Amino acid sequence: MKLLTMRDERGFDRLCAVVGDEAVDLKATYLAGGGKPYKAELLSDMLTFIENGEDALEVAQEALGFISKGVKVSVPIPERLRPPIVYPRKLLCLAGNYAEHIREGGGPVFDKSKMTPRVFMKPPSTTLIGHGEPIVIPRNGNRIDWEAELAVVIGRRGKFIPAEKAYDYVFGYSILNDVSERQLKVPKEREPREGDRWFDWLNGKWFDTFAPMGPWIVTKDEIPDPHSLRITLTVNGEVMQDSSTKMMIFTIPEIIEFISSLVTLEPGDVISTGTPEGTGAARGIFLKKGDVVRIRIERIGELVNPVEAEG
């Protein structure tokens, strides 16, 4: 099942399923088909849906079953969507999870037995945008780069999750662009301190709109092997990244095991699994107003975002 979030004409966010080229409003279709109002609440929004697990999936399937009876509340899939999860509790990202990306940045690559995943967070309420929404270059932006990534959506709460059980905690998959400022502007008067370079790198991840996600979430049953997916990114039609998720250093189960040893994972948390080679910094090319970024991941779809300038 492919699930998206769209804003209706009244300004409310609606949880929809993708059926052909239409977005089927699950809650409205379920109620129109005679479904029970208390069950319809499980279809109110993506986070509620994920939290309710199999119960919500059953109600969604019942709603889609009404289509064969001629009951359907739907619209053509809009060109502009909301992030699939508008306000996830956590947005966790990996740095340096593809060997060739590490090498293109001039870093050394070791056997993963001698490394641990590098995990950081982005503010989910202000960085996340949806398909068709603009990446905004801030007034203090300098060198804005792209990073095509496979995103994992957590479906169950868990701590110290062993790798062999990690997929039991996965709800589905999406696409995320870990947009990055590669050379943060800082005051000339700043006195150098140990750690400045690392914090400048991290702060450059935090600008508003710097985490496009979408266009939807594909439930895990539709992607039995998330480590065999082609991942590509183009800017204005020119291919910049072209790789496969099989090139990850740390696999999704290993990532979940590591992160859950640090923080409790909760339903709706998003883990973005790192980017392959082909970033703009390696080429000396950066995003500018008028650009269009397209990320395609096999079996998921295409995330498209135009680029605008603040102010």
Side-chain angles (χ1 to χ4, degrees):
M1 189 182 299
K2 293 182 175 71
L3 298 164
L4 62 82
T5 300
M6 57 168 279
R7 182 155 283 178
D8 66 19
E9 66 280 358
R10 297 176 298 164
F12 295 106
D13 289 338
R14 312 296 294 181
L15 172 64
C16 300
V18 177
V19 178
D21 59 356
E22 292 186 312
V24 176
D25 185 323
L26 287 171
K27 184 176 181 179
T29 297
Y30 180 73
L31 290 172
K36 297 178 174 60
Y38 76 92
K39 286 189 176 182
E41 291 308 305
L42 302 184
L43 308 176
S44 294
D45 60 82
M46 190 74 77
L47 189 54
T48 298
F49 186 90
I50 294 170
E51 287 177 328
N52 283 278
E54 291 298 324
D55 290 341
L57 283 167
E58 286 179 11
V59 178
Q61 293 291 358
E62 190 176 346
L64 294 174
F66 290 138
I67 295 176
S68 63
K69 301 176 182 179
V71 178
K72 181 174 65 173
V73 180
S74 66
V75 297
I77 296 173
E79 293 183 0
R80 189 164 174 162
L81 299 171
R82 298 282 279 153
I85 309 174
V86 179
Y87 298 117
R89 292 184 174 89
K90 293 187 282 296
L91 174 53
L92 300 139
C93 302
L94 261 71
N97 197 33
Y98 286 74
E100 290 306 315
H101 175 53
I102 296 172
R103 291 189 180 102
E104 74 177 357
V109 178
F110 305 103
D111 185 89
K112 68 180 179 182
S113 64
K114 301 180 186 300
M115 299 190 296
T116 55
R118 289 181 165 178
V119 184
F120 63 96
M121 298 181 73
K122 285 194 168 196
S125 62
T126 49
T127 58
L128 275 173
I129 58 172
H131 171 80
E133 294 187 308
I135 299 165
V136 179
I137 298 175
R139 283 175 289 176
N140 54 339
N142 193 21
R143 297 182 177 181
I144 311 302
D145 204 349
W146 55 81
E147 293 189 16
E149 306 194 0
L150 174 68
V152 180
V153 180
I154 297 299
R156 291 173 54 195
R157 183 183 178 91
K159 186 77 183 291
F160 293 107
I161 301 166
E164 60 270 19
K165 293 186 177 180
Y167 287 121
D168 294 342
Y169 292 79
V170 173
F171 174 78
Y173 305 95
S174 189
I175 303 170
L176 190 132
N177 188 352
D178 176 18
V179 181
S180 307
E181 167 61 83
R182 298 298 190 192
Q183 192 175 73
L184 189 71
K185 290 181 179 178
V186 298
K188 294 180 180 178
E189 300 79 14
R190 187 177 76 176
E191 288 289 340
R193 291 183 296 167
E194 184 179 354
D196 278 350
R197 183 177 178 183
W198 185 87
F199 276 100
D200 290 347
W201 173 88
L202 179 63
N203 296 161
K205 299 279 190 177
W206 289 352
F207 286 102
D208 295 353
T209 75
F210 273 27
M213 181 181 173
W216 39 65
I217 295 170
V218 180
T219 51
K220 67 179 178 182
D221 59 292
E222 294 198 13
I223 304 179
D225 182 8
H227 295 103
S228 62
L229 308 176
R230 185 180 180 190
I231 177 169
T232 62
L233 179 146
T234 66
V235 179
N236 304 328
E238 181 179 354
V239 177
M240 298 296 182
Q241 293 183 282
D242 189 351
S243 187
S244 170
T245 55
K246 70 181 179 183
M247 303 305 291
M248 287 184 197
I249 296 172
F250 294 100
T251 65
I252 289 167
E254 290 167 339
I255 293 166
I256 289 174
E257 181 177 64
F258 178 77
I259 293 177
S260 70
S261 73
L262 305 174
V263 297
T264 299
L265 288 173
E266 302 170 284
D269 285 352
V270 177
I271 301 173
S272 201
T273 56
T275 198
E277 72 277 11
T279 56
R283 294 180 165 91
I285 303 172
F286 300 98
L287 293 175
K288 62 185 184 304
K289 180 181 178 181
D291 286 344
V292 177
V293 183
R294 295 176 181 268
I295 302 173
R296 174 171 286 277
I297 298 183
E298 187 179 5
R299 305 191 71 154
I300 297 178
E302 187 175 66
L303 171 66
V304 182
N305 298 95
V307 180
E308 296 182 358
E310 186 176 33

